[in-house]
Amino acid sequence: MNNFLDTILTPFTYAVSWVLWAFHELFTRIGMDEGSGVTWTLSIIFLVLLIRTLLIPVFVKQIKSQRAMQALQPDLRKLQAKYKGKTDQMSRQAMVQEQQALFKKHKTNPLSSCLPLLIQMPFFFALFRVLNNASHASENHQAVGALSVENIRSFDSAQILGAPLSETFLGTINSGNTNWAVVIVAVIMILAMIASQFFTQRQLMTKNMSKEALEGPFMQQQKMMLYILPLVFGIGGINFPIGVLIYWTATNLWTLCQQFWVIRNNPTPGSQAERELNARRAEKGLPPVGVKKEDAAAAAEEAAQQAAKGQREQPKRNNRRKKK
């Protein structure tokens, strides 16, 4: 099993380690200290920026798929109502087939929202291998991927706020000689990683989901991701090297900011974010999203003409019959 994983991850390991080496060389040549933790930290952050920039087309596809998932929520609810109470095997199979037909029609699937995360995982595991093996490789005078023995030694000795970048929270606790700088930096980074993951998902749920999506089964999936993903990374974070925690926190912050920009400027139709965008556009004298300026002007002119005519004339009341 390990040999199989090694075979799969080897190309990613060389790619990640080469990019890390290239950025480290760049910062060293512009005058930064070769063995400084700041130099290596910046190399890791710029590795994140490069990967996430390359993933922008995937992010755009993810946004389109999420909107398609929200658009088909009414059809999914009708489908669930159709098969409600039917527990036999044939009914379940029929429901699954109809769901798959809906997903195919709208060109989406429930896993589309996880696509950027899934694509990132091989790079994440490759970086984890590089940084996690740094201490062992340094002791045994071994290279790791595209990083030479000298690079590995430089990284293994690099520190940020007194915490070695190759050290882990669990490792220093179990060592019998706890480095409290590692504990403090790791806890701060883990909390930042969890918080950024949580607020990214919460921002999506509260701002960029239509009414149909908020009331449908898609919302349950989003709620699970809201709590499960931060919990998974929080628990796993105690065994991540400080360098990996920096990588994952940086990528979470990128996601949070990228999503904020998209939600603010190109929100899902029918969402709270769209209503807020239309309110901002109205303040500037612009028409709502999706309405052409000419159409908005014609509608405004028609409304003005109706207002000028005044209220509709009230029907005249019949004269009361004169009392005899």
Side-chain angles (χ1 to χ4, degrees):
M1 185 65 178
N2 289 334
N3 291 335
F4 178 71
L5 289 176
D6 288 341
T7 302
I8 293 176
L9 290 176
T10 293
F12 295 98
T13 300
Y14 272 91
V16 166
S17 58
W18 185 86
V19 173
L20 200 62
W21 168 84
F23 280 123
H24 181 262
E25 284 292 304
L26 174 64
F27 293 129
T28 300
R29 292 190 178 188
I30 63 176
M32 298 185 70
D33 184 2
E34 180 181 358
S36 169
V38 174
T39 305
W40 282 106
T41 297
L42 286 175
S43 301
I44 293 171
I45 291 174
F46 273 77
L47 169 67
V48 171
L49 297 179
L50 176 62
I51 291 176
R52 294 311 303 266
T53 300
L54 295 176
L55 284 177
I56 286 178
V58 181
F59 179 77
V60 172
K61 185 176 181 180
Q62 176 199 24
I63 293 295
K64 292 180 179 179
S65 297
Q66 285 178 338
R67 291 182 179 178
M69 279 295 296
Q70 294 185 34
L72 61 81
Q73 291 307 304
D75 293 332
L76 282 178
R77 286 203 295 274
K78 291 178 183 178
L79 189 61
Q80 290 174 340
K82 177 181 176 181
Y83 289 97
K84 186 177 181 180
K86 298 180 180 180
T87 57
D88 58 283
Q89 185 68 20
M90 291 185 62
S91 296
R92 288 199 296 268
Q93 289 179 351
M95 181 176 175
V96 170
Q97 289 176 354
E98 290 190 42
Q99 282 182 337
Q100 290 175 345
L102 276 176
F103 295 148
K104 185 176 181 180
K105 177 183 177 182
H106 289 267
K107 299 179 181 179
T108 186
N109 62 78
L111 296 179
S112 58
S113 60
C114 300
L115 189 58
L117 178 64
L118 293 175
I119 294 178
Q120 283 185 85
M121 292 313 291
F123 295 98
F124 168 74
F125 285 123
L127 181 66
F128 181 85
R129 291 183 69 196
V130 170
L131 304 187
N132 199 47
N133 294 333
S135 295
H136 178 75
S138 179
E139 292 173 1
N140 292 278
H141 309 288
Q142 296 175 340
V144 178
L147 295 176
S148 65
V149 175
E150 290 74 17
N151 295 141
I152 290 297
R153 286 176 180 170
S154 172
F155 176 81
D156 189 44
S157 62
Q159 298 182 358
I160 187 78
L161 301 177
L165 294 178
S166 58
E167 186 60 271
T168 68
F169 176 92
L170 201 59
T172 191
I173 292 294
N174 294 334
S175 67
N177 186 22
T178 303
N179 183 337
W180 289 105
V182 173
V183 172
I184 294 171
V185 172
V187 168
I188 292 173
M189 297 302 300
I190 289 172
L191 291 176
M193 183 174 64
I194 292 173
S196 55
Q197 186 97 43
F198 178 83
F199 284 112
T200 297
Q201 190 63 28
R202 189 174 184 275
Q203 178 179 243
L204 176 66
M205 293 171 57
T206 58
K207 292 285 187 180
N208 206 39
M209 294 181 69
S210 63
K211 183 180 179 181
E212 290 78 11
L214 289 172
E215 296 173 352
F218 184 62
M219 185 63 175
Q220 299 303 318
Q221 176 189 343
Q222 298 300 314
K223 284 182 178 179
M224 288 178 63
M225 292 178 65
L226 176 65
Y227 296 104
I228 290 178
L229 282 181
L231 183 63
V232 168
F233 283 103
I235 294 173
I238 62 175
N239 201 34
F240 290 172
I242 299 296
V244 173
L245 292 176
I246 292 171
Y247 169 90
W248 206 253
T249 302
T251 199
N252 283 355
L253 291 174
W254 171 287
T255 303
L256 180 63
C257 295
Q258 185 180 50
Q259 184 175 266
F260 174 82
W261 188 90
V262 170
I263 290 175
R264 180 177 174 82
N265 296 284
N266 190 19
T268 298
S271 65
Q272 175 65 26
E274 185 187 52
R275 290 190 290 272
E276 293 176 357
L277 176 59
N278 286 334
R280 293 195 300 272
R281 291 174 64 88
E283 291 177 357
K284 299 177 182 178
L286 298 174
V289 176
V291 178
K292 294 181 179 180
K293 195 170 183 180
E294 298 80 8
D295 296 339
E301 184 178 353
E302 183 180 351
Q305 290 175 356
Q306 293 292 336
K309 291 180 180 179
Q311 297 179 347
R312 179 186 293 180
E313 294 182 3
Q314 297 294 328
K316 296 181 180 180
R317 298 175 63 183
N318 293 328
N319 294 330
R320 294 180 180 178
R321 293 181 178 179
K322 296 182 179 179
K323 294 181 180 180
K324 294 182 179 180

